[in-house]
Amino acid sequence: MERLRVSAPVDSLIDLPAISQHQLLATKTKIKNCDFRCFVQQVAGARPSTHISSFQAHAGSFKGRARGAKKTKQRPRQLSPLAQEAGAGEPPPELALLPPPQPATPTSSVATLDLGDQRERWETFQKRQRLTFEGAAKLLLDTFEYQGLVKHTGGCHCGAVRFEVWASADLHIFDCNCSVCKKKQNRHFIVPASRFKLLKGAESITTYTFNTHKAQHTFCKRCGVQSFYTPRSNPGGFGIAPHCLDEGTVRSVVIEEFNGSDWEKAMKEHKTIKNMSKE
C-alpha cells in the first residue's frame, strides 16, 4: 500500500470539514505508521478519494513536524546525587546545608557606638534601670533637655490608661469653675504636648466636648476617670490631673483659681496661662 506524506500546517487543512486542530494534534501519534487512507478514515470518517489532492498540494511531512517537535522537547533537569537522595518535595541537601540568612544588625546598638571608657558604665546603667538601648538614650536626653524637670507617671483608676509627663516637681495647679470643670472637680497643671506621652490605653479613651468643642475632655471608657485632657486655653498642650499621678515625684503644689465661668474675660486678664503649652 502506498504511504503518503502530509505536510499541510494544521491550520490550513480546510478541505476536511469536521476535522479540528485539536483532533489532528490528538491523533498525530496514530498516523506515524498509518497510511494516508487510514488516517482520513480515522479522523474525518470521510472517503479518502475526495481529499487526497488537497493534502498532496502541500510540501514537507507531518511526520517530520512531529520529529522536529521531539527535538525541541526539553529534557528533564538532571538532579545531583545529593538531590536524588533527598527525594521529591524536599530541598536538596546542598541547599539545606547553606546557613540561614542573618537578620540585619541594628545600627542603634551599643556595639556600633564608640563609648570608650564609658561602655561598662553605660551597660551597668541599662541593667540597673532595666531599659533598652533606646529607652536609656531617651531618658538621658530627656533629662538633659528638660533640666529642672522630673518625669511623672500616672493613669486612670482601672489602669487601662497610662502616661508619663515631664514637669516641675513643684506643680502650679489651676482650679477652674466652668460648668463642666466645677462638676467633675477638674484641677490640672498644663504642659506642652511634646512633654507628654501616652504609654497605653488609646483604645480605652473616649472624649466629651460641648459649647465651642475646643476643649477635649478625654476619660477612660471603663472607669470614667479623666487623668488628662486638652484644655481650651491651651489646645497645643495637655492638662494633667495631679491627683492621678503616681506618688513620689511631686514636691509641692500651688493652686490658683481660674474663673472659667467667664472664660473670655479670665483669659484676657491672665498673663501667663495661654503660654503654658509653649516650649
Side-chain angles (χ1 to χ4, degrees), residues 50-108:
T50 59
H51 302 287
I52 292 178
S53 59
S54 62
F55 280 101
Q56 288 176 331
H58 298 280
S61 171
F62 189 84
K63 185 184 296 185
R65 292 183 60 194
R67 290 175 180 173
K70 290 182 180 179
K71 292 181 180 180
T72 59
K73 186 177 180 181
Q74 294 182 354
R75 295 181 178 180
R77 183 173 61 91
Q78 296 295 328
L79 298 178
S80 65
L82 289 176
Q84 294 176 2
E85 292 179 5
E90 298 180 8
E94 56 261 40
L95 296 181
L97 292 176
L98 293 177
Q102 297 296 325
T105 303
T107 56
S108 57

Side-chain angles (χ1 to χ4, degrees), residues 9 66 96 110 137 151 238 263:
V110 179
K151 184 173 74 171
F238 289 97
W263 192 86

Side-chain angles (χ1 to χ4, degrees), residues 209-225:
T209 64
F210 72 102
N211 196 10
T212 63
H213 303 283
K214 291 184 178 180
Q216 304 290 307
H217 297 272
T218 50
F219 58 94
C220 176
K221 296 177 182 179
R222 182 179 178 184
C223 63
V225 170

Side-chain angles (χ1 to χ4, degrees), residues 1 23 28 61 77 79 82 112 134 157 169 179 224 229:
M1 182 180 294
Q23 289 173 311
K28 66 180 181 180
S61 171
R77 183 173 61 91
L79 298 178
L82 289 176
T112 60
E134 181 182 359
H157 182 265
S179 60
Y229 83 115

Side-chain angles (χ1 to χ4, degrees), residues 18-276:
I19 300 179
S20 67
Q21 179 178 351
H22 296 291
Q23 289 173 311
L24 289 174
L25 293 177
T27 57
K28 66 180 181 180
T29 57
K30 297 181 180 180
I31 66 173
K32 183 175 181 181
N33 297 315
C34 179
D35 62 279
F36 179 74
R37 295 175 183 273
C38 178
F39 164 69
V40 174
Q41 292 174 355
Q42 288 182 4
V43 178
R47 291 186 305 174
S49 59
T50 59
H51 302 287
I52 292 178
S53 59
S54 62
F55 280 101
Q56 288 176 331
H58 298 280
S61 171
F62 189 84
K63 185 184 296 185
R65 292 183 60 194
R67 290 175 180 173
K70 290 182 180 179
K71 292 181 180 180
T72 59
K73 186 177 180 181
Q74 294 182 354
R75 295 181 178 180
R77 183 173 61 91
Q78 296 295 328
L79 298 178
S80 65
L82 289 176
Q84 294 176 2
E85 292 179 5
E90 298 180 8
E94 56 261 40
L95 296 181
L97 292 176
L98 293 177
Q102 297 296 325
T105 303
T107 56
S108 57
S109 65
V110 179
T112 60
L113 293 179
D114 184 12
L115 298 178
D117 296 337
Q118 304 302 317
R119 177 176 299 279
E120 183 178 354
R121 186 181 175 192
W122 173 270
E123 293 175 351
T124 301
F125 174 77
Q126 276 190 264
K127 292 178 181 178
R128 185 178 300 165
Q129 299 296 327
R130 296 181 180 178
L131 295 172
T132 62
F133 177 83
E134 181 182 359
K138 181 180 183 300
L139 177 60
L140 294 178
L141 289 172
D142 288 344
T143 303
F144 178 78
E145 293 178 355
Y146 304 143
Q147 293 186 31
L149 305 179
V150 298
K151 184 173 74 171
H152 305 279
T153 57
C156 66
H157 182 265
C158 68
V161 178
R162 293 289 298 172
F163 65 85
E164 66 179 31
V165 58
W166 284 87
S168 173
D170 304 305
L171 301 179
H172 187 105
I173 309 298
F174 289 99
D175 185 5
C176 180
N177 66 350
C178 75
S179 60
V180 66
C181 288
K182 187 175 181 179
K183 285 185 175 293
K184 64 180 180 179
Q185 297 292 292
N186 182 24
R187 299 180 181 89
H188 60 276
F189 63 95
I190 300 172
V191 297
S194 61
R195 298 183 188 174
F196 175 87
K197 182 180 180 181
L198 182 65
L199 300 177
K200 72 170 187 175
E203 71 286 351
S204 300
I205 294 175
T206 189
T207 304
Y208 170 72
T209 64
F210 72 102
N211 196 10
T212 63
H213 303 283
K214 291 184 178 180
Q216 304 290 307
H217 297 272
T218 50
F219 58 94
C220 176
K221 296 177 182 179
R222 182 179 178 184
C223 63
V225 170
Q226 175 183 290
S227 54
F228 67 92
Y229 83 115
T230 303
R232 180 184 175 186
S233 62
N234 286 264
F238 289 97
I240 312 299
H243 45 275
C244 289
L245 297 179
D246 299 332
E247 297 181 358
T249 54
V250 177
R251 185 166 51 200
S252 65
V253 171
V254 175
I255 299 177
E256 177 185 355
E257 293 183 354
F258 182 79
N259 187 20
S261 59
D262 193 356
W263 192 86
E264 287 78 6
K265 181 180 178 181
M267 285 295 294
K268 289 180 180 179
E269 293 177 351
H270 205 286
K271 300 184 183 298
T272 60
I273 189 172
K274 64 180 65 177
N275 297 321
M276 288 190 166

